[in-house]
Amino acid sequence: MRNTIQGIQDMKRHGDRIAMLTAYDYSTAKLVDAAGVPMILVGDTLGMVMLGYETTLHVTMDDMVRHIQAVVRGTSQALVVGDLPFMSYQASSDDAVRNAGRFLQDGGAQAVKLEGGVPMAATVRRIVDCGIPVMGHIGLTPQSVNQLGGYKVQGRTPEVASRLLDDARALEEAGAFSIVLECVPAPLSARITEGLSIPTIGIGAGPHCDGQVQVIHDILGLFSDLRPRHARRYAEVGDVIREALQQYVADVVAGTFPTAKESFSMDERILDTLSPAAASSA
Ligand code: KIV
């Protein structure tokens, strides 16, 4: 049975840490699910790691729905959270409700995530009131990269630290079931986490959050364009793939692939019944 938002919230109550990961496709989602990850984010980072854009700003609702469907098909246990892309919820709360609903109805996700604190609280409330669980996301909010002036740690000044505390409280009051804290100094994340009854999920937000989320490409060494400081490399899968592919090319070029074992046989007398192959004119 799939995890529920109540199950995720119980983990905070019981002091169990929550390991969340992104996934964007069927095969990877199967591996993540089998590893016992209780909550998967189909993040709009797919724009960068899957589609090759420089930022997440170009990702569309159709991109997200297609990838959410694949992840849902690949999972049976994990709660799947779909990331609302840029401009799918900011212009009006009607847009937000309709697009969040599409993630559940067409995509099969169990929850949605959106970026922003106090200014988004009313929108979160409207989506939650429609029966759609919402995960908040504050701190470094990549959809606002142009306003933030880059991908920078947030909350090192008294003003921003205090604003982040207000954002977290506003999201909890609006009914968010959990909040991502991205690139927030560890002591501030600890303060935010202590003050909330809903789980915080950190990415670059230190060890005191109730859970952690990482982009799967970052922890597996699959994305070489960026290497975020907060991501620990658990494997160098990119190197393994590169070596395997070089070996494949070498085998094809040398004629050692395929062998008889990798080919299909037939009754070769049938060949005698066929018209002779035309001689090559070269
Ligand atoms: O899109 C994403 O993958 C995210 C995580 C970085 C939290 O929002």
Side-chain angles (χ1 to χ4, degrees), residues 6 23 25 27 46 64 69 80 85 89 101 103 107 124 130 137 164 178 182 193 199 207-208 210 251 269:
Q6 290 76 13
D25 66 275
S27 308
L46 75 83
M64 291 304 305
Q69 288 168 338
V80 177
Y89 60 94
F103 273 11
V124 170
C130 294
H137 181 160
L164 287 176
S178 173
E182 179 165 354
T193 299
H208 309 295
D210 299 301
D251 288 352
R269 285 170 304 183

Side-chain angles (χ1 to χ4, degrees), residues 87-111:
M87 292 320 293
S88 68
Y89 60 94
Q90 290 94 338
S92 77
S93 60
D94 285 347
D95 280 357
V97 166
R98 262 192 285 275
N99 286 320
R102 192 171 161 213
F103 273 11
L104 271 64
Q105 208 162 32
D106 297 349
Q110 286 77 55

Side-chain angles (χ1 to χ4, degrees), residues 22 24 41-46 56 83 113 115 137 142 180 182 203 213 215:
T22 66
Y24 314 98
L41 174 65
V42 186
D44 63 355
T45 39
L46 75 83
T56 58
D83 211 2
K113 177 170 85 57
E115 298 181 7
H137 181 160
V180 168
E182 179 165 354
I203 173 164
V213 60
V215 171

